[in-house]
Amino acid sequence: MLELELDGKALQVPDGSTVIEAAHQAGVYIPHFCYHKKLSIAANCRMCLVEVEKAPKPLPACATPVTNGMKVFTHSDLAVKAQKGVMEFLLINHPLDCPICDQGGECQLQDLAVGYGDGASRYQEDKRVVSNKDLGPLVSTDLTRCINCTRCVRFTQEIAGLMELGQAFRGDRAEIMPFVEKTVDSELSGNIIDLCPVGALTSKPFRFSARTWELARRKSVSPHDGLGSNLIVQVKHDRVMRVLPLENEQVNECWLSDKDRFSYEALNSAERLTRPMVKQDGKWQDVDWNVALDYAAHALRDVTKNHGATAIGALLSPHATLEELALAGKLMRGLGSENIDCRLRQSDFTADGKRRGAPWLGMNVAEIGELDRVLVVGSFLRKDHPLIAQRLRQAAKKGTQISVIHSADDDLLIKLFAKGVVAPSQLPLLLAEVVKAVAEAKGAAIDASLQIVMRSGIQTDGAGATAKQIAASLVSGGNAAILLGNFAQQHPQAATLNALAQQLAELLGCKFGYLGEAANSVGGYVASAVPGGEGLNAAAMLADPRKAYLLLGAEPELDCADGAAALAAMRQASSVIVLSPFKSMAALDYADVLLPVSPFSETSGTFVNTEGRVQSFYAVAKPQGEARPAWKVLRVLGNLLEIDGFGYDSSEQVRDDVLGGKPDFASGLDNGVDGVAIELPAAGAMERIADVPIHFADALVRRAPSLQATADAVAPAARMNAATLAKLAVATGDKVAVKVGAGGTATLAVQLDSGVPDGCIRIAAAHATTAGLGPMFANLTVERA
Amino acid sequence: MALLEAINPLLSAGWQKGGHEWRLENDNGWRLKDYEARGGYQSLKKILETKMSSDEVIAEVKKSVLRGRGGAGFPTGLKWSFMPKAAPEKYIVCNTDEGEPGTFKDRDIQRFDPHAIIEGMIIAAYAVGAGRGYNYIHGEIYELYQRFEDALDEARAAGFLGQNILGAGFNFELFAHQGWGAYICGEESALLESIEGKKGQPRFKPPFPANVGLYGKPTTINNTESFASIPFIFRIGGEGFLNLGKPNNGGTKLYSVSGHVNRPGNYEVPMGTPFAKLLEMAGGMRGGRKLKAVIPGGSSAPVLPADIMMDCTMDYDSIAKAGSMLGSGAVIVMDETTCVVKALERLSYFYYEESCGQCTPCREGTGWLYKIIHRIEHGQGRPEDLDLLLTLGGNIAGRTICALGDAAVLPIQGFLRHFRSEFEYHIENKKCLVPPDVQRAGSTFFTRNMGQA
């Protein structure tokens, strides 16, 4: 600890603290622009100049380390004179037109100018003008306002991992710009809007639509990936205008992914379902709620009476709230069906009934930064979990060895220790080899289940060496973890991967866990939105089509592992009851009743994030039109169907019923499986690698226009490496018809992607153009279209 | 070129090769054999043969009181002693990004005596334990960058560079790095950034390069002339070098004399030589005109009026006492035909143009300063402008990451201290105290190029 005196107050701060950190600890505000606690120190704005005893000149508080016995004066005449001098310089070239600036009212420069600026400027020359740059569909520039603090530059380089912005030119000609003709394409790009202390970088979708003081600021939780980023949703007249991060060091720190930030646009989408609708004689009619609910209840009753309750299946979105998932499950069980599932993209359910608990991250999110060895298995990490990837990126900089085994070689912008990229079918084998290599290094015997299959001595091509390299890294660390990504969870041998990760963790004495795909991937288990007893899982409900389906927030053709099968199942059903905030063309085709329910912004509810954190939130706006919170709709349906236990007055009661109150973390979380047979399949002929692109992943983000205009939302192509191109005798740009057996087909443009392993084609899922292709994991045939 | 009395044979003797009037075809004195003929590489051999310890080498340099020739005048030996002993990877960097207006000595060392730099750097590397060195040569002298590469080839071939130098078990690799002409890259930490391939912007200090330098490793950076002086120190001994100059100002120094003198050029004189003597060596005032002012140490040094300057000797302490800086030893001489406002306008434009744009006071302030002085020069000055210049200067100086902010302000403070009345005359009368035809008569630009127009 170091002792110093700050403005006459004695203070103790940890070794290595800077003066600005000490001041923060003491509750003293030192004006600043370029300093940001998560970014490297630039010390370029000079606004934080303070007086330090014995120093001949004022020193920047952000860059001056505290020394023992130091005396700092943050508001002495010398300090304030220096700060005012800097403010004068900052303002000479800054347009003083705050009334027409989008940042007005939430501008650090404007705020500090009140305290440190003069009433009139001594500068009477011409002001600098800087031309604006196109940074893409999310971030708008007004670079004449830029004060060159370089926060945005440092963010892209240090946090997002790729220097997409820089400062070109010198002196007062200096400009912030992207590379020539390039936009800022990071999945974290929106954060530079928050970081910009002036109105130089503003939100393109939000720009000029409201003033900050007109907006109510309400807390919420992101409904997208498993992290559950904390949000401040800004609302005007019950319309969500903007989303900002709510700082939570344990979850999202002070960041948001672009998906979390900009998906709100879909809340005001023209596709919002705002009236209950019923299909009569093939025609859709707007009806009152009681008519629609009667219709739905009748349909469910009829199917139950004529075909038995097991003829009904419920496909629930893992992005639905805990309360909605619980009530939907309860409704089904009340009717007598266990055909309930929210694991829509999962294809291997052999671990069901063998699980010790609900699969989860296996640790706290914040612990990720403290790991020293990490193995990520089957994950499009950067796009599936942008902020967890960010945590790993920072960890790697501090020396954490991160290895990846996967079926795609996307640039994670993380310094990797080792990586193995193999065809999807070979992923379990590669992981098994890592297990074997770790066992050898540890002098331990491998598990009997693995021994049998490994005896044949099969090895993935050249992967034996990779496995050894990864194993050597894992055994050399003190605090390791194995993380299974979305791809591993969706994999046809997901249970094998789980069992292998478990064996690996046991050998290493370390943690292993799942990177939860959706906001309620963990919550779905907690709310029992998974089949019990003889109930059918999500895949079985489609493979063995039901007479009736209840869809909660799900769009099966895009959200299920096999979109083609899902669509066929919906079409053949005699009754499809849809609870959704949106009316899609597909649903209008196959549904019989559309019940408009609230998206996350218009209902109270709970998400249990990937670390099991229970995050409840309130509605931030009134439901649009006739839409109602889904938990209320399900309550009424339950009552109409005369099922017991639907007498809830609030969503909190539902939650408390499920969780036994409101714990901080859900209980019953355990990734362990018992008695899962290890399956190591042989390589396929031409395997599909299906990613779920970040902006196609759920119903909400699919309808956010600005996100759909980003580079991450390009239409899927058939991506393959040069060897595969040669083998198929096709070239980039060619159109090919891709088929799965006699089933699904899709016509796509060919694209060279050297990150795709041999004999594989990467075709994104969750998109209208590829939904017809069918399963995410399959062997493909290709012919010229 | 105009070296009248070469004192340091390892630095300047070769310069005489072409006779008094230097000729390109005679320009071979820089070659290794000529340098060796003058006694080159003897110091390195002596150090390695007698197995001097690194501490002994540093002690000898400290004894010489060689002060950094780049401008700051920091004792070189002391700088070397800051290098952490235990660090496994260390660098030596030579700063040949000579960009200070008025300074052209390093260019000529580079041209005529590249091996003196190489030998000095090898000795420095030996002293601080560096395994790798870079010479950062500014962009405008590309042909000298090429020459340095040739000199490096000679030195490598002769076994002065590389593995196991002269069989002494000492390894040192030296490379040339070409800059592209930004003044700011002469600032040592911006220079390091530039070598690393980044935009040349100064780093915040501390940490200093001796702890966190090139690629984050301990680094010693010295000026070209400092390195080039090292071999001579070991030839005549630290004591001998010190005694060439005066106490606290060891050795001889190169002065780049420019401006209104009859024979502008580089002059090597002992520290403490009277300015009057230097002026005489440079052929005296052109056209016999009266001396008006001198900038004694490069454009960043405050100007001194004739009467004060004529009483100075050319060393760090004397010039500092007079209220200026010896700086890089660039002596800019101005006669009575000079308009000080125009001179300052030109200097201010330089700092405005060269500010790197990183920190606020310099980025925004240098432009403002220039615009005000430009206004005064063009008859649009306001009575409050002079005080505005000084308060703005006060808000820049000492508030920036590097010394460029100070450098931009010092000339303004100097000119206003000694010539305020001429600025006031400009503002009041919207014209110069020195009539335009007199100004033109004193300018070779006009007399040579514009004829009588």
Side-chain angles (χ1 to χ4, degrees), chain A residues 629-663:
Chain A
W631 73 268
K632 288 187 179 174
V633 174
L634 290 163
R635 175 184 65 181
V636 178
L637 262 183
N639 289 331
L640 284 174
L641 291 164
E642 291 167 352
I643 300 168
D644 281 346
F646 276 84
Y648 295 109
D649 293 327
S650 68
S651 69
E652 286 80 0
Q653 284 179 1
V654 183
R655 177 197 66 204
D656 293 352
D657 229 16
V658 176
L659 300 173
K662 193 207 171 290

mmCIF file of all heavy atoms in Angstrom, chain A residues 629-663:
data_model
loop_
_atom_site.group_PDB
_atom_site.id
_atom_site.type_symbol
_atom_site.label_atom_id
_atom_site.label_comp_id
_atom_site.label_asym_id
_atom_site.label_seq_id
_atom_site.Cartn_x
_atom_site.Cartn_y
_atom_site.Cartn_z
ATOM 1 N N PRO A 629 -47.924 -9.743 -21.983
ATOM 2 C CA PRO A 629 -46.828 -10.604 -21.520
ATOM 3 C C PRO A 629 -47.232 -12.077 -21.652
ATOM 4 O O PRO A 629 -48.355 -12.457 -21.306
ATOM 5 C CB PRO A 629 -46.647 -10.211 -20.070
ATOM 6 C CG PRO A 629 -47.128 -8.789 -20.007
ATOM 7 C CD PRO A 629 -48.265 -8.714 -20.990
ATOM 8 N N ALA A 630 -46.308 -12.883 -22.134
ATOM 9 C CA ALA A 630 -46.637 -14.279 -22.410
ATOM 10 C C ALA A 630 -47.022 -15.031 -21.144
ATOM 11 O O ALA A 630 -47.832 -15.954 -21.185
ATOM 12 C CB ALA A 630 -45.456 -14.955 -23.106
ATOM 13 N N TRP A 631 -46.420 -14.655 -19.995
ATOM 14 C CA TRP A 631 -46.791 -15.387 -18.776
ATOM 15 C C TRP A 631 -48.259 -15.189 -18.446
ATOM 16 O O TRP A 631 -48.929 -16.108 -17.960
ATOM 17 C CB TRP A 631 -45.874 -15.012 -17.603
ATOM 18 C CG TRP A 631 -46.105 -13.636 -16.998
ATOM 19 C CD1 TRP A 631 -45.488 -12.483 -17.336
ATOM 20 C CD2 TRP A 631 -47.026 -13.316 -15.945
ATOM 21 N NE1 TRP A 631 -45.949 -11.437 -16.580
ATOM 22 C CE2 TRP A 631 -46.891 -11.924 -15.716
ATOM 23 C CE3 TRP A 631 -47.949 -14.046 -15.186
ATOM 24 C CZ2 TRP A 631 -47.653 -11.250 -14.740
ATOM 25 C CZ3 TRP A 631 -48.690 -13.372 -14.219
ATOM 26 C CH2 TRP A 631 -48.547 -11.981 -14.002
ATOM 27 N N LYS A 632 -48.808 -13.995 -18.790
ATOM 28 C CA LYS A 632 -50.225 -13.741 -18.545
ATOM 29 C C LYS A 632 -51.084 -14.528 -19.525
ATOM 30 O O LYS A 632 -52.136 -15.069 -19.166
ATOM 31 C CB LYS A 632 -50.535 -12.244 -18.694
ATOM 32 C CG LYS A 632 -49.987 -11.393 -17.559
ATOM 33 C CD LYS A 632 -50.483 -9.955 -17.680
ATOM 34 C CE LYS A 632 -49.964 -9.111 -16.532
ATOM 35 N NZ LYS A 632 -50.298 -7.696 -16.693
ATOM 36 N N VAL A 633 -50.639 -14.594 -20.762
ATOM 37 C CA VAL A 633 -51.381 -15.329 -21.781
ATOM 38 C C VAL A 633 -51.439 -16.808 -21.397
ATOM 39 O O VAL A 633 -52.495 -17.443 -21.463
ATOM 40 C CB VAL A 633 -50.727 -15.133 -23.164
ATOM 41 C CG1 VAL A 633 -51.407 -16.002 -24.211
ATOM 42 C CG2 VAL A 633 -50.768 -13.656 -23.563
ATOM 43 N N LEU A 634 -50.286 -17.330 -20.954
ATOM 44 C CA LEU A 634 -50.247 -18.742 -20.555
ATOM 45 C C LEU A 634 -51.107 -18.980 -19.313
ATOM 46 O O LEU A 634 -51.748 -20.018 -19.167
ATOM 47 C CB LEU A 634 -48.796 -19.171 -20.299
ATOM 48 C CG LEU A 634 -47.932 -19.265 -21.569
ATOM 49 C CD1 LEU A 634 -46.453 -19.269 -21.230
ATOM 50 C CD2 LEU A 634 -48.316 -20.509 -22.376
ATOM 51 N N ARG A 635 -51.112 -17.986 -18.410
ATOM 52 C CA ARG A 635 -51.958 -18.111 -17.213
ATOM 53 C C ARG A 635 -53.426 -18.250 -17.609
ATOM 54 O O ARG A 635 -54.140 -19.131 -17.122
ATOM 55 C CB ARG A 635 -51.761 -16.874 -16.320
ATOM 56 C CG ARG A 635 -52.669 -16.853 -15.112
ATOM 57 C CD ARG A 635 -52.507 -15.575 -14.314
ATOM 58 N NE ARG A 635 -52.932 -14.391 -15.091
ATOM 59 C CZ ARG A 635 -52.867 -13.152 -14.632
ATOM 60 N NH1 ARG A 635 -52.367 -12.913 -13.419
ATOM 61 N NH2 ARG A 635 -53.261 -12.136 -15.356
ATOM 62 N N VAL A 636 -53.862 -17.385 -18.545
ATOM 63 C CA VAL A 636 -55.265 -17.445 -18.959
ATOM 64 C C VAL A 636 -55.558 -18.766 -19.670
ATOM 65 O O VAL A 636 -56.583 -19.399 -19.430
ATOM 66 C CB VAL A 636 -55.611 -16.241 -19.869
ATOM 67 C CG1 VAL A 636 -57.063 -16.323 -20.331
ATOM 68 C CG2 VAL A 636 -55.364 -14.935 -19.119
ATOM 69 N N LEU A 637 -54.612 -19.196 -20.519
ATOM 70 C CA LEU A 637 -54.796 -20.480 -21.208
ATOM 71 C C LEU A 637 -54.921 -21.616 -20.192
ATOM 72 O O LEU A 637 -55.781 -22.485 -20.318
ATOM 73 C CB LEU A 637 -53.608 -20.760 -22.133
ATOM 74 C CG LEU A 637 -53.757 -20.425 -23.622
ATOM 75 C CD1 LEU A 637 -52.494 -20.852 -24.358
ATOM 76 C CD2 LEU A 637 -54.977 -21.094 -24.227
ATOM 77 N N GLY A 638 -54.066 -21.569 -19.182
ATOM 78 C CA GLY A 638 -54.106 -22.589 -18.128
ATOM 79 C C GLY A 638 -55.450 -22.591 -17.428
ATOM 80 O O GLY A 638 -56.038 -23.648 -17.169
ATOM 81 N N ASN A 639 -55.946 -21.396 -17.153
ATOM 82 C CA ASN A 639 -57.235 -21.296 -16.485
ATOM 83 C C ASN A 639 -58.376 -21.774 -17.384
ATOM 84 O O ASN A 639 -59.290 -22.469 -16.935
ATOM 85 C CB ASN A 639 -57.490 -19.851 -16.036
ATOM 86 C CG ASN A 639 -56.579 -19.478 -14.863
ATOM 87 O OD1 ASN A 639 -56.190 -20.346 -14.067
ATOM 88 N ND2 ASN A 639 -56.216 -18.209 -14.771
ATOM 89 N N LEU A 640 -58.299 -21.399 -18.669
ATOM 90 C CA LEU A 640 -59.351 -21.832 -19.599
ATOM 91 C C LEU A 640 -59.375 -23.345 -19.721
ATOM 92 O O LEU A 640 -60.426 -23.946 -19.893
ATOM 93 C CB LEU A 640 -59.120 -21.215 -20.986
ATOM 94 C CG LEU A 640 -59.484 -19.731 -21.159
ATOM 95 C CD1 LEU A 640 -59.057 -19.262 -22.549
ATOM 96 C CD2 LEU A 640 -60.982 -19.522 -20.972
ATOM 97 N N LEU A 641 -58.182 -23.940 -19.652
ATOM 98 C CA LEU A 641 -58.095 -25.394 -19.770
ATOM 99 C C LEU A 641 -58.306 -26.078 -18.418
ATOM 100 O O LEU A 641 -58.163 -27.288 -18.307
ATOM 101 C CB LEU A 641 -56.728 -25.790 -20.358
ATOM 102 C CG LEU A 641 -56.524 -25.398 -21.826
ATOM 103 C CD1 LEU A 641 -55.059 -25.467 -22.210
ATOM 104 C CD2 LEU A 641 -57.362 -26.281 -22.743
ATOM 105 N N GLU A 642 -58.628 -25.229 -17.407
ATOM 106 C CA GLU A 642 -58.935 -25.714 -16.063
ATOM 107 C C GLU A 642 -57.814 -26.582 -15.490
ATOM 108 O O GLU A 642 -58.042 -27.645 -14.929
ATOM 109 C CB GLU A 642 -60.275 -26.466 -16.064
ATOM 110 C CG GLU A 642 -61.424 -25.508 -16.306
ATOM 111 C CD GLU A 642 -62.734 -26.200 -16.639
ATOM 112 O OE1 GLU A 642 -62.720 -27.434 -16.837
ATOM 113 O OE2 GLU A 642 -63.747 -25.516 -16.689
ATOM 114 N N ILE A 643 -56.602 -26.108 -15.713
ATOM 115 C CA ILE A 643 -55.445 -26.792 -15.133
ATOM 116 C C ILE A 643 -55.120 -26.106 -13.817
ATOM 117 O O ILE A 643 -55.128 -24.872 -13.732
ATOM 118 C CB ILE A 643 -54.237 -26.722 -16.094
ATOM 119 C CG1 ILE A 643 -54.594 -27.388 -17.432
ATOM 120 C CG2 ILE A 643 -53.013 -27.392 -15.487
ATOM 121 C CD1 ILE A 643 -53.605 -27.131 -18.536
ATOM 122 N N ASP A 644 -54.820 -26.901 -12.809
ATOM 123 C CA ASP A 644 -54.528 -26.325 -11.489
ATOM 124 C C ASP A 644 -53.187 -25.598 -11.491
ATOM 125 O O ASP A 644 -52.287 -25.917 -12.266
ATOM 126 C CB ASP A 644 -54.482 -27.444 -10.439
ATOM 127 C CG ASP A 644 -55.887 -27.856 -10.042
ATOM 128 O OD1 ASP A 644 -56.826 -27.091 -10.373
ATOM 129 O OD2 ASP A 644 -56.034 -28.935 -9.439
ATOM 130 N N GLY A 645 -53.069 -24.673 -10.567
ATOM 131 C CA GLY A 645 -51.764 -24.040 -10.343
ATOM 132 C C GLY A 645 -51.470 -22.908 -11.298
ATOM 133 O O GLY A 645 -50.313 -22.643 -11.602
ATOM 134 N N PHE A 646 -52.483 -22.272 -11.813
ATOM 135 C CA PHE A 646 -52.245 -21.112 -12.675
ATOM 136 C C PHE A 646 -52.771 -19.820 -12.037
ATOM 137 O O PHE A 646 -53.027 -18.858 -12.723
ATOM 138 C CB PHE A 646 -52.852 -21.328 -14.063
ATOM 139 C CG PHE A 646 -51.951 -22.091 -14.988
ATOM 140 C CD1 PHE A 646 -51.924 -23.475 -14.969
ATOM 141 C CD2 PHE A 646 -51.085 -21.418 -15.843
ATOM 142 C CE1 PHE A 646 -51.083 -24.179 -15.813
ATOM 143 C CE2 PHE A 646 -50.240 -22.122 -16.687
ATOM 144 C CZ PHE A 646 -50.226 -23.508 -16.676
ATOM 145 N N GLY A 647 -52.905 -19.848 -10.738
ATOM 146 C CA GLY A 647 -53.449 -18.674 -10.069
ATOM 147 C C GLY A 647 -52.400 -17.645 -9.690
ATOM 148 O O GLY A 647 -52.360 -17.186 -8.561
ATOM 149 N N TYR A 648 -51.560 -17.309 -10.606
ATOM 150 C CA TYR A 648 -50.497 -16.347 -10.292
ATOM 151 C C TYR A 648 -50.969 -14.916 -10.484
ATOM 152 O O TYR A 648 -51.691 -14.603 -11.426
ATOM 153 C CB TYR A 648 -49.295 -16.592 -11.202
ATOM 154 C CG TYR A 648 -48.622 -17.926 -10.986
ATOM 155 C CD1 TYR A 648 -48.730 -18.936 -11.934
ATOM 156 C CD2 TYR A 648 -47.882 -18.169 -9.825
ATOM 157 C CE1 TYR A 648 -48.108 -20.162 -11.745
ATOM 158 C CE2 TYR A 648 -47.258 -19.391 -9.637
ATOM 159 C CZ TYR A 648 -47.369 -20.380 -10.597
ATOM 160 O OH TYR A 648 -46.766 -21.578 -10.399
ATOM 161 N N ASP A 649 -50.497 -14.051 -9.576
ATOM 162 C CA ASP A 649 -50.814 -12.624 -9.700
ATOM 163 C C ASP A 649 -49.676 -11.836 -10.334
ATOM 164 O O ASP A 649 -49.859 -10.712 -10.768
ATOM 165 C CB ASP A 649 -51.117 -12.025 -8.324
ATOM 166 C CG ASP A 649 -52.396 -12.599 -7.753
ATOM 167 O OD1 ASP A 649 -53.299 -12.904 -8.568
ATOM 168 O OD2 ASP A 649 -52.479 -12.756 -6.527
ATOM 169 N N SER A 650 -48.503 -12.414 -10.302
ATOM 170 C CA SER A 650 -47.360 -11.668 -10.841
ATOM 171 C C SER A 650 -46.330 -12.652 -11.365
ATOM 172 O O SER A 650 -46.331 -13.834 -10.991
ATOM 173 C CB SER A 650 -46.721 -10.812 -9.739
ATOM 174 O OG SER A 650 -46.103 -11.656 -8.781
ATOM 175 N N SER A 651 -45.488 -12.136 -12.214
ATOM 176 C CA SER A 651 -44.428 -13.006 -12.733
ATOM 177 C C SER A 651 -43.475 -13.390 -11.600
ATOM 178 O O SER A 651 -42.858 -14.446 -11.637
ATOM 179 C CB SER A 651 -43.682 -12.310 -13.869
ATOM 180 O OG SER A 651 -42.923 -11.229 -13.366
ATOM 181 N N GLU A 652 -43.351 -12.512 -10.604
ATOM 182 C CA GLU A 652 -42.468 -12.816 -9.481
ATOM 183 C C GLU A 652 -42.932 -14.074 -8.743
ATOM 184 O O GLU A 652 -42.115 -14.882 -8.309
ATOM 185 C CB GLU A 652 -42.391 -11.641 -8.491
ATOM 186 C CG GLU A 652 -41.577 -10.449 -8.980
ATOM 187 C CD GLU A 652 -42.346 -9.550 -9.936
ATOM 188 O OE1 GLU A 652 -43.536 -9.845 -10.241
ATOM 189 O OE2 GLU A 652 -41.765 -8.546 -10.380
ATOM 190 N N GLN A 653 -44.249 -14.234 -8.662
ATOM 191 C CA GLN A 653 -44.769 -15.447 -8.014
ATOM 192 C C GLN A 653 -44.372 -16.693 -8.801
ATOM 193 O O GLN A 653 -44.025 -17.719 -8.226
ATOM 194 C CB GLN A 653 -46.291 -15.385 -7.906
ATOM 195 C CG GLN A 653 -46.785 -14.470 -6.806
ATOM 196 C CD GLN A 653 -48.312 -14.428 -6.764
ATOM 197 O OE1 GLN A 653 -48.988 -15.105 -7.551
ATOM 198 N NE2 GLN A 653 -48.849 -13.643 -5.852
ATOM 199 N N VAL A 654 -44.439 -16.578 -10.112
ATOM 200 C CA VAL A 654 -44.043 -17.722 -10.953
ATOM 201 C C VAL A 654 -42.579 -18.043 -10.705
ATOM 202 O O VAL A 654 -42.191 -19.184 -10.468
ATOM 203 C CB VAL A 654 -44.264 -17.412 -12.451
ATOM 204 C CG1 VAL A 654 -43.919 -18.625 -13.294
ATOM 205 C CG2 VAL A 654 -45.690 -16.951 -12.699
ATOM 206 N N ARG A 655 -41.753 -16.990 -10.744
ATOM 207 C CA ARG A 655 -40.316 -17.180 -10.540
ATOM 208 C C ARG A 655 -40.047 -17.800 -9.172
ATOM 209 O O ARG A 655 -39.294 -18.770 -9.065
ATOM 210 C CB ARG A 655 -39.596 -15.829 -10.637
ATOM 211 C CG ARG A 655 -38.102 -15.920 -10.358
ATOM 212 C CD ARG A 655 -37.518 -14.563 -10.066
ATOM 213 N NE ARG A 655 -38.061 -14.027 -8.811
ATOM 214 C CZ ARG A 655 -38.110 -12.733 -8.521
ATOM 215 N NH1 ARG A 655 -37.712 -11.842 -9.400
ATOM 216 N NH2 ARG A 655 -38.598 -12.331 -7.353
ATOM 217 N N ASP A 656 -40.682 -17.241 -8.158
ATOM 218 C CA ASP A 656 -40.423 -17.735 -6.805
ATOM 219 C C ASP A 656 -40.846 -19.197 -6.669
ATOM 220 O O ASP A 656 -40.220 -19.974 -5.953
ATOM 221 C CB ASP A 656 -41.157 -16.872 -5.778
ATOM 222 C CG ASP A 656 -40.590 -15.457 -5.728
ATOM 223 O OD1 ASP A 656 -39.552 -15.221 -6.381
ATOM 224 O OD2 ASP A 656 -41.188 -14.587 -5.049
ATOM 225 N N ASP A 657 -41.918 -19.543 -7.390
ATOM 226 C CA ASP A 657 -42.370 -20.926 -7.409
ATOM 227 C C ASP A 657 -41.303 -21.845 -8.010
ATOM 228 O O ASP A 657 -41.025 -22.932 -7.514
ATOM 229 C CB ASP A 657 -43.632 -21.008 -8.282
ATOM 230 C CG ASP A 657 -44.731 -21.764 -7.576
ATOM 231 O OD1 ASP A 657 -44.616 -21.928 -6.348
ATOM 232 O OD2 ASP A 657 -45.685 -22.180 -8.268
ATOM 233 N N VAL A 658 -40.689 -21.364 -9.099
ATOM 234 C CA VAL A 658 -39.684 -22.179 -9.805
ATOM 235 C C VAL A 658 -38.395 -22.255 -9.001
ATOM 236 O O VAL A 658 -37.786 -23.315 -8.871
ATOM 237 C CB VAL A 658 -39.404 -21.585 -11.206
ATOM 238 C CG1 VAL A 658 -38.284 -22.359 -11.905
ATOM 239 C CG2 VAL A 658 -40.668 -21.606 -12.054
ATOM 240 N N LEU A 659 -37.988 -21.110 -8.468
ATOM 241 C CA LEU A 659 -36.666 -21.039 -7.849
ATOM 242 C C LEU A 659 -36.721 -21.115 -6.325
ATOM 243 O O LEU A 659 -35.674 -21.155 -5.682
ATOM 244 C CB LEU A 659 -35.962 -19.732 -8.241
ATOM 245 C CG LEU A 659 -35.720 -19.512 -9.741
ATOM 246 C CD1 LEU A 659 -35.178 -18.110 -9.973
ATOM 247 C CD2 LEU A 659 -34.740 -20.542 -10.277
ATOM 248 N N GLY A 660 -37.928 -21.123 -5.778
ATOM 249 C CA GLY A 660 -38.025 -21.083 -4.327
ATOM 250 C C GLY A 660 -37.555 -19.741 -3.783
ATOM 251 O O GLY A 660 -36.702 -19.685 -2.909
ATOM 252 N N GLY A 661 -38.078 -18.693 -4.352
ATOM 253 C CA GLY A 661 -37.661 -17.354 -3.930
ATOM 254 C C GLY A 661 -36.853 -16.710 -5.033
ATOM 255 O O GLY A 661 -36.988 -17.062 -6.211
ATOM 256 N N LYS A 662 -36.022 -15.738 -4.683
ATOM 257 C CA LYS A 662 -35.156 -15.154 -5.705
ATOM 258 C C LYS A 662 -33.691 -15.256 -5.271
ATOM 259 O O LYS A 662 -33.121 -14.321 -4.720
ATOM 260 C CB LYS A 662 -35.510 -13.693 -5.985
ATOM 261 C CG LYS A 662 -34.812 -13.241 -7.251
ATOM 262 C CD LYS A 662 -34.527 -11.779 -7.331
ATOM 263 C CE LYS A 662 -33.633 -11.460 -8.526
ATOM 264 N NZ LYS A 662 -32.267 -11.941 -8.349
ATOM 265 N N PRO A 663 -33.112 -16.432 -5.507
ATOM 266 C CA PRO A 663 -31.697 -16.573 -5.176
ATOM 267 C C PRO A 663 -30.852 -15.773 -6.164
ATOM 268 O O PRO A 663 -31.331 -15.425 -7.247
ATOM 269 C CB PRO A 663 -31.451 -18.066 -5.336
ATOM 270 C CG PRO A 663 -32.447 -18.498 -6.364
ATOM 271 C CD PRO A 663 -33.648 -17.605 -6.201
#
